[in-house]
Amino acid sequence: MKLLQEKILKEGRIEGSDILKVDSFLNHQMDIDLLNEMGKEFKRRFKDKKITKILTIEASGIGISCIAAQYFNVPVVFAKKSDSRNLDKEVFESKVTSFTKGKDYIIKVSKRYLREEDDILIIDDFLANGQAIFGLKDIVKQAGSNLVGVGIVIEKGFQNGGKILRDSGIQLESLAIIKSLENNQIIFEEKKGEENK
Amino acid sequence: MKLLQEKILKEGRIEGSDILKVDSFLNHQMDIDLLNEMGKEFKRRFKDKKITKILTIEASGIGISCIAAQYFNVPVVFAKKSDSRNLDKEVFESKVTSFTKGKDYIIKVSKRYLREEDDILIIDDFLANGQAIFGLKDIVKQAGSNLVGVGIVIEKGFQNGGKILRDSGIQLESLAIIKSLENNQIIFEEKKGEENK
């Protein structure tokens, strides 16, 4: 998505060889006009699909999911993060390993809000190793819901989450795919996903 | 706000004498149509005010803030919660005591995203003792920004956060004010705030 790539080039800050900070518009301060354009683009990429609910994870997936949900006319459910597993029969839980934070945490979704008859689109801001998405996917499976696809704002194409998801046959749509952050330069992948309008 | 009161009566669940669960539409699953009506209502209540940014706190303030921001045409900044204070010169920090969780945490906002020239509207889902709002207010003060007002979805009128804020002269607009949850009954306060349309 051209507009997003331009914003990343203009405002993204590289740290080390693999961290891209986009907190001026995506995950600390949020540019609501850009979020709307991204929401429309997710709708375009999943336009023929039946979707009854968007599933995301706190905190930085919530903004884009709520804005995108307006184009799908569906509610949003966000998974909550917790340090500890307490045996709660009313929630679906999955363990997620965070490589960046070097620890495990548990994500939870109330059983009230995911049903067998739901067709789920997972949306999140970033995809790297894919651990958070695998956790959400596991929860969708526990609920017996149908996973329609995954929408990501920025995929780090040099990490393996995207490849694993695509190889498993899931429709993964990333609005921008970063090929490399080396030498303090942002290089986009232009091939994968649908066309980059 | 009538529509919100009706939704609370229909879907709110009372726990004990002071906990109201509204996770079917506000802070776990989110009803985006209702969020839009609430966003319009915030705009109506602050219609004559110059606002350049909405400030909220992760996680459950983010959804309503992003939707409301569309009516104000401003970006949203959300404060991040953290367990520990690490001395970071690039962030404004404030300590918040959570009565429900029985512990303190630190909230942080990057100095990049709050400026002296900003006119800030704080939005959050709940107001009880007001600790989170006092923390956000403290951060706005540190930044030298102008606090225009506070917009709350559900205020617990039987706790003292609202009184403290109103007594200090802040324009506090709560879309629904709960007077009592006793005897497993939800009673609304009809006087405070602007008219309940």
Side-chain angles (χ1 to χ4, degrees), chain B residues 37-91:
Chain B
E37 292 306 315
M38 300 193 302
K40 278 181 217 168
E41 178 65 12
F42 280 132
K43 175 63 187 176
R44 194 181 69 81
R45 296 196 186 191
F46 291 100
K47 65 178 178 294
D48 301 324
K49 301 297 165 69
K50 185 187 166 209
I51 287 160
T52 64
K53 210 162 268 190
I54 290 174
L55 177 65
T56 188
I57 184 165
E58 65 177 5
S60 45
I62 298 175
I64 175 60
S65 294
C66 285
I67 298 292
Q70 299 175 124
Y71 299 96
F72 291 91
N73 286 308
V74 297
V76 172
V77 174
F78 67 89
K80 301 191 179 199
K81 290 177 188 171
S82 154
D83 284 334
S84 59
R85 190 185 291 249
N86 52 3
L87 294 168
D88 183 342
K89 286 185 180 168
E90 295 187 355
V91 300

Side-chain angles (χ1 to χ4, degrees), chain A residues 23-25 27-32, chain B residues 52-58 61-62 65-66 69 74-80 92 108-115 118 120-123 136 139:
Chain A
D23 56 11
S24 70
F25 62 90
N27 45 25
H28 186 18
Q29 178 166 258
M30 288 172 288
D31 178 331
I32 305 297
Chain B
T52 64
K53 210 162 268 190
I54 290 174
L55 177 65
T56 188
I57 184 165
E58 65 177 5
I62 298 175
S65 294
C66 285
V74 297
V76 172
V77 174
F78 67 89
K80 301 191 179 199
F92 301 116
K108 303 184 181 198
V109 174
S110 167
K111 290 186 179 175
R112 292 171 186 265
Y113 309 124
L114 285 183
R115 305 280 184 176
D118 274 320
I120 305 292
L121 173 61
I122 291 175
I123 287 185
L136 292 173
I139 280 176

Side-chain angles (χ1 to χ4, degrees), chain A residues 13 23-24 27-30 32 35-36 53 58-60 62-63 66-67 69-70 74-80 108-110 112-113, chain B residues 13 23-24 27-30 32 35-36 53 58-60 62-63 66-67 69-70 74-80 108-110 112-113:
Chain A
R13 290 175 291 125
D23 56 11
S24 70
N27 45 25
H28 186 18
Q29 178 166 258
M30 288 172 288
I32 305 297
L35 262 54
N36 264 294
K53 209 162 268 189
E58 66 177 4
S60 45
I62 297 175
C66 284
I67 298 292
Q70 299 175 123
V74 297
V76 172
V77 173
F78 67 89
K80 302 192 177 196
K108 303 183 182 199
V109 174
S110 166
R112 292 171 186 265
Y113 308 125
Chain B
R13 289 175 293 127
D23 57 11
S24 70
N27 46 24
H28 186 18
Q29 178 166 259
M30 289 173 289
I32 305 298
L35 262 55
N36 264 294
K53 210 162 268 190
E58 65 177 5
S60 45
I62 298 175
C66 285
I67 298 292
Q70 299 175 124
V74 297
V76 172
V77 174
F78 67 89
K80 301 191 179 199
K108 303 184 181 198
V109 174
S110 167
R112 292 171 186 265
Y113 309 124

Side-chain angles (χ1 to χ4, degrees), chain A residues 145-161:
Chain A
S145 312
N146 172 40
L147 179 60
V148 177
V150 177
I152 296 291
V153 178
I154 301 175
E155 176 184 339
K156 290 176 167 174
F158 54 88
Q159 289 181 271
N160 65 358

Side-chain angles (χ1 to χ4, degrees), chain A residues 5 7 67 71 78 85 93 98 145 153 155 159 167:
Chain A
Q5 288 188 350
K7 189 80 168 181
I67 298 292
Y71 300 97
F78 67 89
R85 188 186 292 250
E93 297 185 341
S98 168
S145 312
V153 178
E155 176 184 339
Q159 289 181 271
D167 286 352

Side-chain angles (χ1 to χ4, degrees), chain B residues 92-145:
Chain B
F92 301 116
E93 296 186 338
S94 191
K95 195 174 81 172
V96 171
T97 301
S98 168
F99 288 102
T100 35
K101 293 190 180 168
K103 64 169 194 174
D104 292 346
Y105 56 95
I106 306 294
I107 62 172
K108 303 184 181 198
V109 174
S110 167
K111 290 186 179 175
R112 292 171 186 265
Y113 309 124
L114 285 183
R115 305 280 184 176
E116 273 188 35
E117 60 270 25
D118 274 320
D119 297 293
I120 305 292
L121 173 61
I122 291 175
I123 287 185
D124 205 2
D125 59 336
F126 264 95
L127 175 66
N129 290 297
Q131 297 299 313
I133 301 296
F134 301 152
L136 292 173
K137 189 169 162 281
D138 178 36
I139 280 176
V140 171
K141 191 180 169 189
Q142 289 176 44
S145 310

